[in-house]
């Protein structure tokens, strides 16, 4: 589904990604862990097409297409979704209008007819239950005045509504208490299927107790320095990020 | 410069949807302005002597008056002798809609204003003004059942001279400003409505203004009187063909609300704004004012201003009655080289009067958008309050947003509050929407609609969605 080959990127003059290689197949959940400043969120932003980052080398194929050639909205319509670390507030635009607009853009791209209001509401209610999203939040402006946990849940609601092929969760667990974490992870688990894939970016092992990955990658200094099964996350948690420096120097 | 800045920078000149012209035989007065022009118009309309005298008096004011100098733009040179002051479709409008020239019906159909009552938006009565004259007023009989008078100004002068004489010029006197004086001298038609005591007008009243003829100005007058305890919601819409030369539109609107009456007046202004280089477009110099004459009266102005090359208007409320309420809700969107200098005046005279001003300016391209507002609480106006919120949104970095509040409080028991913000559309907001499959143009439209929603929600429902569409269309080409 996703093949990243020697991806390099910078912001302004600072090189951040220094040659990332990664392959994700349908049905897989990959986790990316790493210390602050290792490039985790940059990788998420670059894949989504954030204009603040410049790709300086490498290639990314998404379903066989050159992802880096596509505009951000085209990537989204092709089925790439980013759950933001810091979801943005859009005053005066109701969450419902926003969801309907996004969904219809993606459906139109896939040659599907627009939903009737009734069909849309049915789908929305279904997905709201899935992520235990409070109905009153749907009628409010996008993320405006939402608590940190509500914003993250709203990201998962959008994920559920838009049903992408590949979902990137950028530190979705940050700022969540344990109940909210359980709800968010529960939502993601219900959305997992053999046709979609997840790239879970996190600083802590805790989230991976709930969303169990197939592969764990450790990102440090803009490169993936180690990949392994889910136990790698536990090992990292136990030994701390200092251990990585040893790994880096020995490899 | 980041990629998004580039997107916001690149301005395209998108089509103005209503820029077509109607080919119809017109009765046009020769260009020029003097007492004979005034007499000509008055004679065309078979007006009584008192009205001709009133016009001539106004014309003498006009001759003595000077152009205002305080506005935040350079006043264009007006050659008042180079304009024709009267243009009317030749076929006379007759008693029923069946007799309206099909060409005209077609024109209004194209504008989305079907004049056929069967096809009309239910619950909206329309007075359609084409250049200088009203061509049709719908639902008159139905309104008459409740005693509501809704007709063209010309008919009102003939059929209800006492009402017209009693109120004409009482809110906006002919000497108020040069454009008001000009209008009083040469106004050709407009709408008149009277809502009798205790009647809640059963449908929205609306006037649709269309400038068609070349080298003409449009000078219409609207007079709305809501008697004790009555209620009326009124809407006006405006469009004009695309023409290279500027066209002057100098209208006057007067509202009178008696004890406990309420008038809600909404405007969706979409005059031709000129092209991307600022060529052509309508000069919209309009004086709108209402008076809460009685106790507990309420007047509410809502305006969505997207058109005109220059907009100069300050719909105001004189709060004379005790406990009366004045409101002003405005969205003004400017792009390319458009100029808007708009706002309101709230004049608090009565006790315990309240006013509320919500102004949302949106500037794109090379446009200049100014809010100018006066809140004046007089010495006897105790226990009064004003709240003003004035927000500006900038799209790109070549446009300007300006705020000129004039606040005057002469009563220590009264309170005035003013809040102002200026913001830019955040790139993060656009990227967030992009990431959900929404392109930048739609994203900006969505953000702007959200920004203006507090005002748009005040519009009658049938028109709120129109206005949302209009905002999106007007922004089309401003980005991406």
């Amino acid at each position: 589904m996703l093949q990243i080959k020697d991806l390099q990127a910078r912001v302004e003059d600072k090189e951040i990604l220094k040659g990332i290689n990664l392959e994700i197949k349908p049905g897989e959940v990959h986790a990316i862990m790493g210390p602050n400043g290792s490039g985790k969120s940059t990788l998420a932003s670059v894949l989504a097409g954030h204009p603040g980052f410049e790709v300086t080398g490498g290639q990314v194929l998404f379903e066989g297409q050159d992802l880096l050639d596509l505009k951000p909205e085209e990537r989204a319509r092709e089925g790439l979704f980013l759950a933001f670390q810091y979801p943005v507030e859009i005053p005066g635009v109701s969450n419902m209008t926003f969801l309907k607009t996004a969904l219809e853009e993606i459906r139109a791209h896939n040659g599907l007819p627009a939903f009737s209001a009734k069909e849309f509401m049915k789908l929305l209610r279904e997905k709201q239950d899935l992520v235990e999203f409070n109905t009153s939040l749907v009628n409010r402006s996008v993320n405006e005045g939402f608590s940190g946990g509500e914003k993250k849940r709203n990201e998962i609601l959008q994920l559920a509504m838009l049903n992408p092929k590949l979902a990137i969760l950028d530190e979705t667990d940050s700022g969540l208490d344990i109940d909210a974490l359980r709800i968010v992870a529960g939502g993601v688990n219900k959305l997992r299927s053999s046709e979609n894939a997840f790239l879970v970016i996190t600083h802590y092992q805790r989230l991976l107790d709930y969303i169990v990955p197939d592969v764990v990658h450790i990102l440090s200094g803009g490169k993936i320095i180690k990949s392994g099964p889910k136990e790698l996350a536990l090992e990292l948690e136990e030994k701390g990020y200092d251990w990585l420096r040893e790994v880096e120097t020995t490899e | 410069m980041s990629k998004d800045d580039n997107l916001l920078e690149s301005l395209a000149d998108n089509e103005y949807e209503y820029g077509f012209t109607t080919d119809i035989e017109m009765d046009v007065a020769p260009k020029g302005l003097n007492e004979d022009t005034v007499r000509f118009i008055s004679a065309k309309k078979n007006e009584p002597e008192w009205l001709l005298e009133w016009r001539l008096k106004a014309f003498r004011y006009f001759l003595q008056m000077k152009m205002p100098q305080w506005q935040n733009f350079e006043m264009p040179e007006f050659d008042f002798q180079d304009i024709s002051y009267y243009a009317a479709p030749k076929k006379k409008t007759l008693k029923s809609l069946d007799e309206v020239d099909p060409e005209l019906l077609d024109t209004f159909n194209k504008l989305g204003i079907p004049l056929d009552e069967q096809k009309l938006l239910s619950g909206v009565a329309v007075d359609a003004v084409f250049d200088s004259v009203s061509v049709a007023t719908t639902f008159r009989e139905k309104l008459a059942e409740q005693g509501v008078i809704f007709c063209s100004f010309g008919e009102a002068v003939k059929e209800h001279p006492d009402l017209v004489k009693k109120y004409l010029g009482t809110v906006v006197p002919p000497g108020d400003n040069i454009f008001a004086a000009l209008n009083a001298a040469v106004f050709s038609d407009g709408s008149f409505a009277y809502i009798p005591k205790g009647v809640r007008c059963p449908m929205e009243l609306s006037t649709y203004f269309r400038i068609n003829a070349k080298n003409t100005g449009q000078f219409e007058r609207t007079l709305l009187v809501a008697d004790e305890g009555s209620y009326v919601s009124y809407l006006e819409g405006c469009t004009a063909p695309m023409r290279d030369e500027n066209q002057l539109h100098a209208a006057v609107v007067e509202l009178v609300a008696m004890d406990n009456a309420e008038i809600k007046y909404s405007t969706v202004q979409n005059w031709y704004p000129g092209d991307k280089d600022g060529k052509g477009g309508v000069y919209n110099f309009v004086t709108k004012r209402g008076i809460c004459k009685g106790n507990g009266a309420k007047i509410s102005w809502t305006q969505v201003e997207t058109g005109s090359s220059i907009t100069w208007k300050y719909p105001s409320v004189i709060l004379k009655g005790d406990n009366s309420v004045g409101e002003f809700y405005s969205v003004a969107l400017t792009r390319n080289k458009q100029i808007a200098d708009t706002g309101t005046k709230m004049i608090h005279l009565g006790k315990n009067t309240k006013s509320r001003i919500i102004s949302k300016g949106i500037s794109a391209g090379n446009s200049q958008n100014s809010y100018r507002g006066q809140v004046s609480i007089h010495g006897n106006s105790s226990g009064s309050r004003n709240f003003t919120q004035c927000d500006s949104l900038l799209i790109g970095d070549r446009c300007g947003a300006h705020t000129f509040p004039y606040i005057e409080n002469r009563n220590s028991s009264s309170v005035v509050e003013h809040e102002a913000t200026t913001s830019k559309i955040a790139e993060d907001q656009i990227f967030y929407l992009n990431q959900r499959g929404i392109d930048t143009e739609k994203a900006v439209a969505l953000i702007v609609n959200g920004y203006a929603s507090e005002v748009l929600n005040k519009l009658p429902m049938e028109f709120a969605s129109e206005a949302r569409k209009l905002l999106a269309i007007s922004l089309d080409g401003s980005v991406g």
Side-chain angles (χ1 to χ4, degrees):
Chain A
M1 178 178 288
L2 184 77
Q3 288 157 296
I4 305 176
K5 291 174 194 161
D6 194 29
L7 180 65
Q8 297 155 49
R10 67 179 176 196
V11 60
E12 283 157 13
D13 287 335
K14 202 174 167 213
E15 297 290 336
I16 301 190
L17 301 184
K18 299 170 181 167
I20 303 273
N21 290 290
L22 180 65
E23 182 167 2
I24 301 176
K25 295 196 176 75
E28 290 182 346
V29 174
H30 288 237
I32 291 191
M33 300 184 71
N36 290 328
S38 58
K40 299 190 301 289
S41 285
T42 300
L43 177 62
S45 296
V46 167
L47 291 176
H50 193 289
F53 298 88
E54 190 191 344
V55 175
T56 50
Q59 196 190 27
V60 181
L61 294 178
F62 180 56
E63 297 277 82
Q65 270 198 82
D66 185 350
L67 186 73
L68 302 177
D69 248 11
L70 302 178
K71 290 184 189 168
E73 61 270 26
E74 292 165 341
R75 300 180 195 198
R77 292 171 196 161
E78 288 292 335
L80 184 140
F81 181 94
L82 171 63
F84 284 70
Q85 184 178 2
Y86 303 108
V88 177
E89 299 187 3
I90 306 178
V93 177
S94 85
N95 224 352
M96 190 115 68
T97 305
F98 166 56
L99 280 169
K100 181 102 166 61
T101 309
L103 187 66
E104 295 309 350
E105 289 293 331
I106 292 167
R107 284 178 64 83
H109 177 75
N110 292 315
L112 296 168
F115 273 133
S116 70
K118 202 175 155 193
E119 288 166 327
F120 174 78
M121 288 311 295
K122 184 168 169 278
L123 183 74
L124 182 60
R125 267 195 294 272
E126 209 175 282
K127 302 298 182 185
Q128 266 174 252
D129 290 346
L130 192 79
V131 294
E132 302 180 40
F133 197 80
N134 188 334
T135 313
S136 73
L137 295 178
V138 176
N139 296 316
R140 286 186 21 208
S141 297
V142 178
N143 293 325
E144 197 184 25
F146 284 25
S147 71
E150 285 168 341
K151 284 183 183 174
K152 295 298 172 72
R153 257 146 77 181
N154 198 15
E155 293 295 289
I156 304 306
L157 174 65
Q158 292 166 42
L159 168 63
M161 288 295 289
L162 303 180
N163 192 26
K165 291 178 192 143
L166 174 69
I168 304 165
L169 310 184
D170 187 8
E171 305 215 13
T172 297
D173 52 332
S174 69
L176 289 189
D177 63 32
I178 199 76
D179 289 332
L181 184 68
R182 188 187 48 75
I183 291 169
V184 164
V188 170
N189 284 329
K190 285 177 217 161
L191 296 168
R192 282 174 76 164
S193 79
S194 59
E195 269 130 55
N196 63 20
F198 287 82
L199 182 60
V200 181
I201 292 170
T202 180
H203 194 69
Y204 302 104
Q205 192 271 335
R206 189 179 68 158
L207 177 65
L208 305 181
D209 285 343
Y210 296 92
I211 304 173
V212 181
D214 299 299
V215 190
V216 175
H217 308 277
I218 296 168
L219 190 66
S220 181
K223 283 185 167 181
I224 290 175
I225 55 163
K226 201 170 172 60
S227 300
K230 62 176 187 286
E231 289 74 19
L232 181 59
L234 286 169
E235 195 179 347
L236 183 64
E237 182 89 341
E238 201 180 300
K239 294 182 178 168
Y241 281 113
D242 283 342
W243 168 62
L244 286 177
R245 278 182 210 116
E246 292 162 36
V247 178
E248 257 178 288
T249 45
T250 51
E251 278 185 16
Chain B
M1 189 184 289
S2 78
K3 193 174 141 208
D4 269 23
D5 270 340
N6 283 325
L7 284 174
L8 293 172
E9 281 289 311
S10 61
L11 277 142
D13 181 30
N14 74 309
E15 268 314 291
Y16 174 71
E17 201 181 340
Y18 306 105
F20 63 91
T21 55
T22 305
D23 193 12
I24 191 165
E25 226 185 317
M26 298 290 284
D27 195 358
V28 182
K31 284 181 186 177
L33 179 61
N34 52 44
E35 281 203 11
D36 287 343
T37 320
V38 178
R39 287 176 198 281
F40 173 87
I41 293 167
S42 190
K44 271 276 171 202
K45 306 194 75 67
N46 289 319
E47 281 175 356
E49 191 60 26
W50 66 266
L51 191 51
L52 174 63
E53 284 309 316
W54 191 80
R55 284 176 180 275
L56 289 170
K57 202 172 143 200
F59 183 68
R60 284 164 210 141
Y61 276 123
F62 169 77
L63 291 177
Q64 289 162 22
M65 294 179 92
K66 290 195 170 62
M67 283 291 186
Q69 295 299 326
W70 41 261
Q71 69 284 351
N72 188 33
F73 57 89
E74 204 181 321
M75 190 60 88
E77 295 261 336
F78 286 102
D79 183 354
F80 290 109
Q81 300 305 331
D82 197 37
I83 300 174
S84 165
Y85 290 84
Y86 186 83
K90 252 194 182 147
K91 281 185 197 161
K92 245 348 234 154
T93 41
L94 299 162
K95 285 191 185 65
S96 91
L97 287 168
D98 305 338
E99 295 170 58
V100 176
D101 189 313
E103 193 72 36
L104 281 176
L105 287 179
D106 191 44
T107 298
F108 282 96
N109 269 330
K110 270 201 229 170
L111 298 169
I113 316 289
L115 296 177
D116 179 343
E117 289 186 5
Q118 315 298 318
K119 291 180 198 148
L120 268 177
L121 285 169
S122 56
V124 184
V126 180
D127 183 25
V129 176
F130 188 83
D131 289 325
S132 301
V133 294
S134 165
V135 291
T137 310
T138 62
F139 290 118
R140 287 178 60 168
E141 289 78 14
K142 196 170 168 208
L143 289 165
E145 283 167 22
Q146 306 237 12
V148 174
I149 302 167
F150 181 44
C151 60
S152 73
F153 208 98
E155 287 165 307
V157 169
K158 288 191 188 73
E159 288 162 29
H160 311 280
D162 296 347
L163 280 173
V164 174
K165 210 169 171 177
K166 186 168 172 192
Y167 294 106
L168 177 67
T170 58
V171 193
V172 180
D176 189 78
N177 66 72
I178 189 167
F179 295 102
L182 177 64
N183 174 289
V186 301
F187 79 92
S188 44
D189 214 338
S191 302
F192 174 83
Y194 172 80
I195 321 299
K197 274 183 197 172
V199 170
R200 193 179 166 86
C201 189
M203 53 181 78
E204 305 271 345
L205 301 186
S206 135
T207 303
Y208 195 89
F209 295 106
R210 173 72 176 171
I211 298 179
N212 184 61
K214 220 172 170 173
N215 299 318
T216 57
Q218 193 178 48
F219 307 93
E220 84 282 354
R221 237 188 138 86
T222 301
L223 175 57
L224 229 68
V225 180
D227 217 327
E228 281 171 38
S230 68
Y231 168 87
V232 63
S233 170
Y234 191 91
L235 186 121
E236 59 174 13
C238 348
T239 58
M242 288 159 78
R243 295 197 186 280
D244 285 345
E245 73 275 12
N246 295 103
Q247 286 173 295
L248 176 62
H249 174 251
V252 169
V253 175
E254 297 180 281
L255 311 182
V256 181
M258 310 305 268
D259 285 348
N260 299 311
E262 180 177 350
I263 301 175
K264 188 174 154 61
Y265 196 102
S266 314
T267 302
V268 176
Q269 186 263 106
N270 186 24
W271 293 119
Y272 176 53
D275 71 7
K276 65 177 193 306
D277 303 317
K279 195 171 181 199
V282 170
Y283 292 146
N284 192 33
F285 287 75
V286 170
T287 308
K288 291 181 168 178
R289 194 174 303 151
I291 182 165
C292 289
K293 217 170 173 177
N295 295 338
K298 180 176 176 182
I299 291 178
S300 180
W301 297 100
T302 303
Q303 60 175 26
V304 176
E305 304 281 324
T306 61
S308 298
S309 60
I310 300 177
T311 296
W312 179 98
K313 60 181 277 206
Y314 315 90
S316 306
V317 184
I318 300 167
L319 297 147
K320 186 161 177 270
D322 293 344
N323 302 305
S324 59
V325 178
E327 293 176 334
F328 175 73
Y329 299 100
S330 170
V331 174
L333 183 151
T334 52
R335 61 184 196 116
N336 292 334
K337 296 204 165 162
Q338 277 178 283
I339 294 165
D341 192 312
T342 185
T344 185
K345 288 195 266 187
M346 292 291 174
I347 312 297
H348 294 253
L349 303 175
K351 293 179 178 39
N352 300 314
T353 50
K354 287 191 183 64
S355 64
R356 183 177 165 82
I357 300 170
I358 308 284
S359 164
K360 304 267 182 181
I362 302 152
S363 336
N366 289 301
S367 69
Q368 296 295 327
N369 202 327
S370 301
Y371 165 81
R372 185 183 303 278
Q374 180 184 6
V375 176
S376 174
I377 295 183
H378 285 238
N380 291 330
S381 181
S382 54
S384 293
R385 297 187 76 93
N386 160 265
F387 173 77
T388 301
Q389 185 189 327
C390 173
D391 298 328
S392 309
L393 184 70
L394 298 164
I395 300 175
D397 55 10
R398 282 172 297 143
C399 52
H402 316 272
T403 305
F404 303 96
Y406 306 81
I407 299 166
E408 189 182 34
N409 188 351
R410 297 181 189 278
N411 189 301
S412 58
S413 66
S414 293
V415 183
V416 177
E417 282 177 82
H418 183 94
E419 287 177 12
T421 65
T422 302
S423 53
K424 289 190 83 165
I425 291 186
E427 286 181 13
D428 280 353
Q429 288 177 320
I430 293 176
F431 180 64
Y432 188 68
L433 295 171
N434 284 161
Q435 215 301 305
R436 297 300 184 251
I438 301 165
D439 66 32
T440 300
E441 208 155 275
K442 269 203 184 136
V444 170
L446 206 57
I447 293 166
V448 166
N449 259 307
Y451 166 79
S453 61
E454 201 180 343
V455 172
L456 297 179
N457 291 341
K458 298 285 175 191
L459 287 173
M461 212 172 47
E462 297 88 336
F463 297 98
S465 62
E466 270 312 294
R468 284 182 187 282
K469 256 191 351 219
L470 181 61
L471 280 184
I473 290 168
S474 302
L475 276 169
D476 211 8
S478 293
V479 282

